[in-house]
């Protein structure tokens, strides 16, 4: 307890401030301010009552929970007009009940007592009393860049505490409303997104619509907003969220950042098998060795087991895997860990089935080139084997003259991947609207930070144009073969076309082209709303399944049953995903894909069994033919000798053998 005696209000106040450690700090905004200009009457009234003051019985001091009160003055800010502030006070008193005393507040602009900083009253009564502190919430309503001084008293108007509140210019997404005297939703954003005032100045956030991206640039007098209403490829959060312009990457998912969330932050890299950005190292470059070996093994298996589109056993499975791959975000909602079903489908589409790094710093541009390089590598291996077989009998026996069917199979396996890359380069563009000028900019959706039609993008664009000019006539030729056969250039590719049309009946040669068209349709509807995508896909599959069951386009009835089974499985996937909850549908999808995997395993076992049986039969047949030819040669020699000695040889009828009936078929002819 401190006792002060004085005859002057000024000296009394100054001495009191010094003794209770409530002096102004030199670096404070109100250093040197004379408190008597603010509340002289209250000080004078108190001084006139008694020359002996006991200031320790009622001084308001700033505090925090479970911390000793600090009677030093405080600065607040900068804050925004209308933003709520929380003040904690304690009455430095031995009277416990006085901590619950309401706090009275006065406010005005610094050095201008007649200019009032309005304090919202709705928060004045909201108090929370803890052990030592009383919490009071206030909202300052005043013009931008003003400096308000808050003077807080207890109920007796004694021993005030002073706060200086510095107000700043409204943040991005907000503008100052002169009527409300606070920061409200920017009218530009309100008119664009129809926000309906869903803004919160306390955390400086606005309500961002789902699948949209918003950026801002600070100018000298205002803000420029960059808005895209449709953020592509699931880069942005698919649901509505609160956006603070100081942390724009909060609207992105998969650790992405930048314009339209199309880039990875510094130190992160894109990975295969996902849209995610992760920390990577260059040690993953060693994966090129197993990848190269896997490509060689795949091509050899296609040659040896005759797993080709010409045989027709895997055509339906490839279509099944392609359609699931197109709708991966729909069927596989959670890919945080290892998902066997997703891995199997990805490998069937010549993709990585797990999230795998390749090298540090890989971006989406490099990722596209690497995705194109693997199918090109497989085609190179198959072409090399075909060329080598012309000069090597051993390689010719290995390939069994299945070069074109294998090439046709590799083209079909790569079709969906090529379609995805071509469409992402040639057709995936987004418009960014710049407000308030309202002009628009065209950017590449995959990576909006890459300059459009710069050197790097132009090279990729030309390559995709070439692939596109190959895919269009290829699809048309398989779909309307009779019409396209009048062109000489189509005649030159007739062996390759026959490889696709081989398993079908003559009147249904268009079925191979129709299946390519089905892939394009599913790819087109994959960009629409999820429920609409599933509904259209389910109806389309119902039509395809019905037509396939009635028509039966394959020559072999077993092939028809294979395709019908895969279409029914795919129809079940769409139905379950549309009508069941996420957790239940994920389990059901895994079960149905596992059934398709078992079906495919049976097909593989069939080809392995056929390969082994054919090998044994051919070896036995070779031995029998060689023995027969040797016996016939020996019989011929004996017969010639007999003719020389027998004078009646003309009376004996000649027996002619057709040796072609006993010869082994040409190697590779099935």
């Amino acid at each position: 307890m401190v006792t002060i005696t004085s005859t002057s209000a000024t000296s009394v106040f100054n001495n009191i401030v010094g003794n209770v450690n409530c002096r102004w700090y030199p670096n404070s905004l109100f250093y040197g301010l004379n408190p008597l200009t603010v509340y002289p009457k209250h000080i004078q009234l108190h001084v006139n009552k008694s020359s002996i003051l006991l200031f320790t019985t009622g001084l308001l001091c700033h505090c925090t929970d479970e911390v000793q009160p600090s009677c030093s003055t405080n600065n607040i800010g900068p804050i925004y007009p209308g933003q709520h502030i929380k003040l904690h006070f304690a009455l430095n008193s031995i009277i416990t009940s006085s901590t619950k005393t309401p706090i009275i507040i006065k406010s005005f602009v610094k050095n201008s007592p007649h200019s009032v900083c309005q304090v919202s009253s709705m928060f004045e009564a909201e108090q929370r009393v803890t052990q030592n502190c009383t919490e009071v919430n206030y909202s300052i309503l005043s013009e931008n860049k003003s400096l308000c001084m808050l003077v807080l008293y207890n109920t007796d108007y004694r021993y005030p505490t002073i706060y200086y509140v510095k107000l700043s210019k409204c943040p991005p997404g907000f503008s100052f409303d002169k009527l409300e005297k606070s920061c409200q939703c920017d009218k530009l954003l309100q008119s664009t997104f129809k926000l309906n005032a869903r803004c919160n100045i306390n955390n400086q956030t606005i309500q961002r619509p789902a699948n949209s991206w918003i950026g801002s640039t600070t100018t000298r007098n205002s803000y420029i907003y960059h808005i895209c209403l449709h953020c592509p490829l699931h880069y942005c959060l698919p649901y509505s969220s609160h956006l603070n312009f100081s942390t724009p990457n909060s609207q992105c998912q998969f650790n992405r950042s930048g314009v339209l969330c199309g880039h990875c932050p510094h130190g992160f890299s894109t990975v295969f098998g996902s849209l995610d950005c992760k920390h990577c190292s260059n040690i993953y470059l060693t994966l090129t060795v197993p990848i190269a070996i896997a490509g060689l093994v795949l091509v050899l298996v296609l040659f040896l087991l005759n797993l080709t589109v010409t045989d027709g056993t895997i055509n339906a499975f490839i279509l099944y895997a392609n359609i699931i791959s197109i709708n991966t975000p729909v069927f596989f909602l959670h890919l945080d860990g290892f998902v066997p079903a997703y891995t199997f489908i990805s490998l069937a589409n010549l993709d990585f089935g797990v999230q795998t790094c390749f090298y540090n710093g890989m971006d989406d541009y490099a990722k596209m080139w690497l995705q194109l390089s693997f199918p090109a590598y497989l085609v190179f291996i198959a072409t090399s084997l075909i060329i080598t077989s012309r000069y090597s009998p051993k390689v010719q026996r290995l390939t069994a003259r299945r070069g074109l069917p294998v090439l046709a199979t590799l083209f079909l396996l790569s079709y969906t991947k090529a379609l995805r890359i071509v469409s992402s380069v040639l057709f995936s563009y987004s418009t960014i609207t710049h407000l308030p000028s309202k002009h628009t900019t065209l950017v590449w959706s995959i990576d909006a930070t890459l300059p459009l039609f710069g050197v790097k993008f132009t090279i990729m664009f030309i390559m995709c144009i070439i692939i596109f000019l190959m895919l269009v006539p290829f699809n048309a030729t398989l779909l309307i073969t009779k019409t396209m056969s009048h062109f000489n250039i189509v005649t030159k590719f007739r062996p390759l076309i026959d490889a696709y049309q081989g398993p079908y009946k003559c009147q249904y040669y268009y079925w191979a082209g129709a299946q390519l068209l089905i892939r394009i349709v599913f790819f087109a509807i994959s960009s629409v709303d999820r429920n609409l995508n599933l509904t259209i896909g389910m109806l389309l599959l119902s039509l395809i399944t019905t037509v396939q069951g009635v028509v039966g386009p394959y020559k072999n009835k077993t092939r028809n049953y294979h395709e019908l089974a895969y279409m029914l499985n795919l129809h079940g996937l769409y139905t379950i995903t549309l009508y069941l909850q996420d957790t239940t549908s994920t389990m059901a999808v895994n079960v149905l894909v596992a059934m398709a995997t078992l079906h495919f395993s049976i097909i593989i076992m069939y080809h392995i069994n056929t390969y082994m049986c054919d090998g044994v039969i051919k070896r036995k047949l070779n031995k029998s033919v060689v023995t027969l030819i040797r016996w016939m040669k020996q019989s011929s020699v004996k017969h010639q000798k007999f003719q020389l000695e027998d004078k009646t040889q003309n009376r004996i009828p000649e027996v002619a053998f057709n040796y072609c009936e006993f010869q082994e078929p040409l190697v590779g002819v099935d």
Side-chain angles (χ1 to χ4, degrees):
M1 183 177 297
V2 180
T3 302
I4 302 296
T5 303
S6 177
T7 58
S8 171
T10 304
S11 61
V12 168
F13 184 83
N14 289 335
N15 289 333
I16 292 170
V17 170
N19 284 313
V20 298
N21 194 28
C22 282
R23 68 188 64 179
W24 312 149
Y25 288 124
N27 60 349
S28 67
L29 292 174
F30 45 91
Y31 177 71
L33 179 69
N34 185 1
L36 295 179
T37 61
V38 182
Y39 39 84
K41 293 182 180 180
H42 306 302
I43 296 293
Q44 189 68 36
L45 176 64
H46 182 72
V47 172
N48 290 338
K49 285 184 177 180
S50 174
S51 60
I52 299 176
L53 304 179
L54 303 178
F55 265 76
T56 56
T57 61
L59 185 65
L60 282 172
C61 296
H62 181 73
C63 68
T64 56
D65 291 350
E66 300 180 0
V67 177
Q68 291 297 326
S70 172
C71 294
S72 60
T73 54
N74 299 275
N75 295 333
I76 300 176
I79 66 170
Y80 304 105
Q83 183 178 358
H84 302 164
I85 57 174
K86 292 182 179 181
L87 303 180
H88 299 79
F89 297 98
L91 289 172
N92 190 5
S93 172
I94 60 175
I95 304 174
T96 306
S97 61
S98 64
T99 58
K100 298 182 181 180
T101 304
I103 295 173
I104 309 300
I105 185 169
K106 286 189 176 182
S107 60
F108 49 86
V109 178
K110 179 183 177 182
N111 298 328
S112 180
H114 300 291
S115 301
V116 178
C117 289
Q118 183 179 350
V119 180
S120 62
S121 59
M122 61 179 295
F123 296 99
E124 187 175 344
E126 184 181 340
Q127 301 183 14
R128 182 176 62 89
V129 179
T130 61
Q131 292 181 357
N132 300 317
C133 292
T134 299
E135 178 185 289
V136 186
N137 294 331
Y138 295 105
S139 179
I140 309 299
L141 305 178
S142 182
E143 296 182 0
N144 292 342
K145 297 184 178 179
S146 62
L147 187 62
C148 291
M149 187 171 73
L150 304 183
V151 183
L152 293 95
Y153 308 87
N154 59 8
T155 52
D156 297 330
Y157 278 85
R158 294 182 179 182
Y159 323 120
T161 297
I162 299 176
Y163 277 86
Y164 264 81
V165 182
K166 184 178 181 180
L167 299 178
S168 295
K169 177 184 177 182
C170 293
F174 296 82
S175 60
F176 184 74
D177 190 320
K178 294 183 179 180
L179 182 62
E180 299 290 339
K181 293 185 179 181
S182 63
C183 295
Q184 301 293 330
C185 287
D186 197 309
K187 294 181 179 179
L188 287 174
L189 296 180
Q190 276 188 302
S191 61
T192 303
F193 290 111
K194 299 180 181 179
L195 294 175
N196 296 324
R198 288 176 293 177
C199 300
N200 190 343
I201 190 58
N202 292 304
N203 51 18
Q204 299 88 57
T205 59
I206 66 170
Q207 190 76 17
R208 181 195 68 89
N211 289 318
S212 64
W213 179 87
I214 313 174
S216 69
T217 302
T218 303
T219 63
R220 188 171 183 178
N221 299 319
S222 61
Y223 301 104
I224 298 176
Y225 301 108
H226 316 287
I227 299 172
C228 181
L229 296 176
H230 303 285
C231 188
L233 297 177
H234 311 282
Y235 285 176
C236 297
L237 292 174
Y239 48 84
S240 178
S241 64
H242 296 282
L243 171 65
N244 188 318
F245 283 92
S246 62
T247 56
N249 294 335
S250 62
Q251 60 189 317
C252 305
Q253 57 181 342
F254 305 126
N255 295 324
R256 304 189 74 88
S257 64
V259 182
L260 268 63
C261 304
H263 205 64
C264 289
H266 180 71
F268 285 75
S269 307
T270 56
V271 297
F272 289 113
S274 173
L275 299 173
D276 205 350
C277 293
K278 292 186 175 182
H279 290 287
C280 295
S281 65
N282 291 328
I283 194 173
Y284 288 95
L285 286 171
T286 55
L287 289 173
T288 53
V289 176
I291 291 173
I293 295 174
L296 180 60
V297 170
L298 174 62
V299 174
L300 290 177
V301 167
L302 294 179
F303 271 109
L304 295 177
L305 299 184
N306 193 26
L307 277 170
T308 62
V309 293
T310 307
D311 182 73
T313 52
I314 63 171
N315 295 22
F317 170 74
I318 295 177
L319 177 63
Y320 174 86
N322 287 166
I323 294 177
I324 295 181
S325 176
I326 291 172
N327 292 280
T328 295
V330 175
F331 294 125
F332 302 101
L333 298 175
H334 308 289
L335 293 174
D336 298 333
F338 175 69
V339 182
Y342 169 74
T343 301
F344 176 70
I345 294 298
S346 298
L347 293 175
N349 287 276
L350 305 182
D351 277 327
F352 283 93
V354 293
Q355 297 184 13
T356 307
C357 292
F358 195 67
Y359 68 89
N360 185 28
M362 185 176 72
D363 55 10
D364 290 285
Y365 178 81
K367 181 180 176 180
M368 281 194 172
W369 281 111
L370 291 172
Q371 287 178 325
L372 280 175
S373 63
F374 186 66
Y377 169 68
L378 297 179
V379 172
F380 171 76
I381 294 175
T383 305
S384 300
L385 288 174
I386 294 172
I387 296 174
T388 306
S389 65
R390 293 189 176 185
Y391 304 98
S392 173
K394 293 183 178 180
V395 177
Q396 186 180 28
R397 285 194 296 270
L398 178 67
T399 59
R401 295 183 181 178
R402 294 177 183 143
L404 284 178
V406 170
L407 275 179
T409 305
L410 293 175
F411 288 155
L412 191 62
L413 287 172
S414 309
Y415 183 84
T416 303
K417 175 178 284 190
L419 188 66
R420 183 184 296 111
I421 293 176
V422 168
S423 62
S424 63
V425 175
L426 300 184
F427 309 110
S428 295
Y429 298 97
S430 297
T431 56
I432 298 179
T433 303
H434 307 276
L435 301 176
S437 61
K438 294 186 179 180
H439 76 277
T440 58
T441 302
L442 192 66
V443 295
W444 187 35
S445 299
I446 306 301
D447 187 355
T449 60
L450 190 69
L452 198 62
F453 293 107
V455 176
K456 294 175 61 176
F457 181 80
T458 302
I459 295 174
M460 173 68 78
F461 187 83
I462 294 174
M463 175 59 69
C464 290
I465 284 288
I466 295 173
I467 297 175
F468 179 76
L469 294 177
M470 294 171 59
L471 291 179
V472 172
F474 175 70
N475 292 351
T477 301
L478 290 181
L479 188 60
I480 47 176
T481 305
K482 293 182 179 180
T483 304
M484 299 294 290
S485 61
H486 298 294
F487 297 96
N488 293 330
I489 190 172
V490 175
T491 306
K492 295 181 180 179
F493 291 95
R494 187 68 201 184
L496 183 62
I497 296 172
D498 290 340
Y500 285 103
Q501 298 175 340
Y504 303 109
K505 300 175 183 177
C506 296
Q507 63 270 33
Y508 301 122
Y509 275 171
Y510 63 86
W511 199 259
Q515 289 190 336
L516 294 181
L517 185 61
I518 290 171
R519 291 170 170 86
I520 296 175
V521 173
F522 274 98
F523 190 84
I525 65 175
S526 64
S527 58
V528 301
D529 179 73
R530 180 178 183 270
N531 290 336
L532 182 60
N533 176 14
L534 291 171
T535 303
I536 297 176
M538 188 174 61
L539 296 175
L540 185 60
L541 282 170
S542 300
L543 178 62
I544 296 171
T545 305
T546 303
V547 173
Q548 198 279 336
V550 173
V551 171
Y554 290 91
K555 297 175 182 177
N556 191 313
K557 291 184 178 180
T558 306
R559 309 293 190 266
N560 290 317
Y561 297 146
H562 284 319
E563 184 161 309
L564 187 61
Y566 278 116
M567 290 300 102
L568 291 174
N569 187 306
L570 196 58
H571 190 279
L573 283 176
Y574 271 84
T575 305
I576 288 172
T577 308
L578 179 62
Y579 291 109
L580 295 184
Q581 298 296 327
D582 291 343
T583 55
T584 309
S585 65
T586 300
M587 184 182 301
V589 166
N590 290 329
V591 171
L592 288 175
V593 174
M595 294 174 60
T597 305
L598 178 61
H599 187 177
F600 180 71
S601 301
I602 295 174
I603 293 175
I604 296 296
M605 294 302 299
Y606 164 76
H607 281 273
I608 293 175
N609 182 67
T610 303
Y611 171 76
M612 296 179 64
C613 291
D614 286 351
V616 173
I617 292 173
K618 286 182 179 180
R619 284 194 296 270
K620 290 182 178 180
L621 182 61
N622 288 339
K623 291 181 180 179
S624 301
V625 171
V626 170
T627 303
L628 179 61
I629 292 176
R630 287 178 180 176
W631 177 80
M632 293 179 65
K633 286 182 178 180
Q634 292 176 359
S635 300
S636 177
V637 172
K638 292 180 180 179
H639 180 66
Q640 290 177 0
K641 290 181 179 179
F642 177 76
Q643 282 183 331
L644 293 174
E645 295 176 359
D646 190 0
K647 295 181 180 180
T648 60
Q649 58 179 335
N650 292 330
R651 298 180 181 178
I652 301 175
E654 293 184 2
V655 179
F657 290 93
N658 186 2
Y659 292 99
C660 295
E661 296 178 0
F662 299 94
Q663 287 181 347
E664 178 188 3
L666 293 176
V667 177
V669 178
D670 297 331

